[in-house]
Amino acid sequence: MHDNGIGHVTTTELSATKVKAARANIEAAGFSDLVTVLEGDALTTLGAVGGPIGLALLDGWKEMCLPVLRLIEDRLATGALVVGDDSTFGSMSDYVTYVRDPGNGYVSIDFPVEDGTELSCWTGR
């Protein structure tokens, strides 16, 4: 983003301690203009994030991945990449089932790394 002059990273974190550390690290790296760290529950903080969203990394509480995806889905750009980490966990089964159903607007594949990663492309249904 820095080199291309386009894009912005928005992340959310529930822990105030982690938010403080993340903001300090981003500041020290000189990327404060490119990264926003929102403090609070993702189901609240991400509700106000604008689109289009080109990449979504879902690596929080596994039970929350599908609700978070559904929350931001209307702002995903056609062709957006959605990455669901730890896809082999039982608590990710609803998420994996959802993104693997073409009727929900995704083309999805398992990326077989430790604990699994589900790579999905939003088709814009």
Side-chain angles (χ1 to χ4, degrees), residues 55-75:
L55 170 67
L57 170 60
L58 304 174
D59 189 23
W61 292 341
K62 303 312 162 197
E63 300 81 9
M64 298 302 297
C65 288
L66 182 55
V68 168
L69 177 61
R70 299 294 308 272
L71 174 69
I72 65 169
E73 205 166 52
D74 65 335
R75 289 166 276 153

Side-chain angles (χ1 to χ4, degrees), residues 33-121:
D33 58 328
L34 300 174
V35 181
T36 300
V37 180
L38 303 173
E39 184 176 349
D41 184 321
L43 290 175
T44 302
T45 60
L46 294 178
V49 171
I53 298 169
L55 170 67
L57 170 60
L58 304 174
D59 189 23
W61 292 341
K62 303 312 162 197
E63 300 81 9
M64 298 302 297
C65 288
L66 182 55
V68 168
L69 177 61
R70 299 294 308 272
L71 174 69
I72 65 169
E73 205 166 52
D74 65 335
R75 289 166 276 153
L76 291 175
T78 300
L81 179 63
V82 180
V83 181
D85 195 35
D86 302 322
S87 60
T88 61
F89 290 16
S91 53
M92 286 288 282
S93 63
D94 288 345
Y95 173 85
V96 171
T97 298
Y98 181 81
V99 296
R100 288 188 183 172
D101 180 345
N104 291 324
Y106 295 90
V107 174
S108 192
I109 188 168
D110 171 53
F111 187 71
V113 294
E114 184 179 354
D115 295 331
T117 298
E118 191 74 15
L119 301 176
S120 307
C121 179

Side-chain angles (χ1 to χ4, degrees), residues 15-39:
S15 165
T17 301
K18 290 181 180 179
V19 168
K20 184 177 178 180
R23 287 178 178 159
N25 289 334
I26 293 162
E27 177 72 30
F31 294 130
S32 294
D33 58 328
L34 300 174
V35 181
T36 300
V37 180
L38 303 173
E39 184 176 349

